[in-house]
Amino acid sequence: MKTAQRKGKTYASRMYGVSLSSVKRWCRRYDGSWQSLKEKSHRSNSHPHQHTAREEDMIREAVRQSYFRYGWEGAYMAAKEGGYSRSYSGFIYAAKRLGLCGGKQKKPNTRKSDHRYPEILVPGEKVQVDVKEVPYNCLKGAARRDEKHFYQWTAIDECTRIRFVYGFEEHTPENSVKFFKMLQKIFPFKIQTIQTDNGTEFTYKYISDTELCLFDIALKNAGVQHKLIPPRTPWHNGKVERSHRNDQRYFYNWEKFASVKDLNRKLKDHLHWSNRKPMRTLGGKSPLDLLREILSNA
């Protein structure tokens, strides 16, 4: 720049092998300090489809209210309830741009294998069922004093990811039968297959060669196939196992129960939320939205 000022822009361009247009551009910016020559962002200051100030306020409020407990999906649902109408990916991009993400998340570990099970396309073709013990630190009052144990039965349809959950005080085949009869009334489609692990609440396969479990008998009388996963392979029931992890994150880490009636009352509200939560694996649709879409096209 000093050479250009002393001997002209063309001379400086030839001497240092820099294009004349670049020298002219730098001369317009040069104020005597090298900092003035630093390259600046070429990013535009505005965009015709950028988020408005009102939408940014909605994003901030939704993240403040729901992100800590319910994650990005819960924050997006809260924003939609407040009138936000943009896509899920646009919501996350805008939130991160506003500095609301708390830093970049770690990338998940790459899969060792790309093997995937074939997708189920018919509701009820296969329903995964499992039992989760309610964490003891979630009990309070009389339930904790009397050292009670509560159990959550969960059913999830592999096609739509629609769920049904219910709590019992005892881990028994009789309660599995009660849950199955409730499930038949709740799910608006015919159940063809139920897949479970090998727990004694579902089968006596590994403890008796002659006696049938009450759950097996109930499924047989209803014309429903009972499929058992191999022993010690919980990933074969991966969808219901994942839903239990989500229950722990979004529900049990926040709630306490004085009785099984109290547990079921709160589970009902949690189930209402989880069946309406958008899921990336369903293309941004909720399980209930996908179920309605499939049943309307049937």
Side-chain angles (χ1 to χ4, degrees), residues 27 39 44 84 97 100 105 127 138 159 176 187 226 288:
C27 283
E39 193 65 27
S44 60
Y84 186 80
R97 177 174 54 80
L100 304 176
Q105 295 181 350
V127 176
C138 291
C159 173
S176 293
F187 277 1
H226 188 190
L288 193 59

Side-chain angles (χ1 to χ4, degrees), residues 27 30 61 104 116 127 172 180 186 189 215 229 240 246:
C27 283
Y30 187 59
E61 182 62 20
K104 291 186 177 180
R116 295 179 66 90
V127 176
T172 62
F180 170 64
I186 293 294
F189 46 77
F215 187 68
I229 65 174
V240 71
N246 286 338

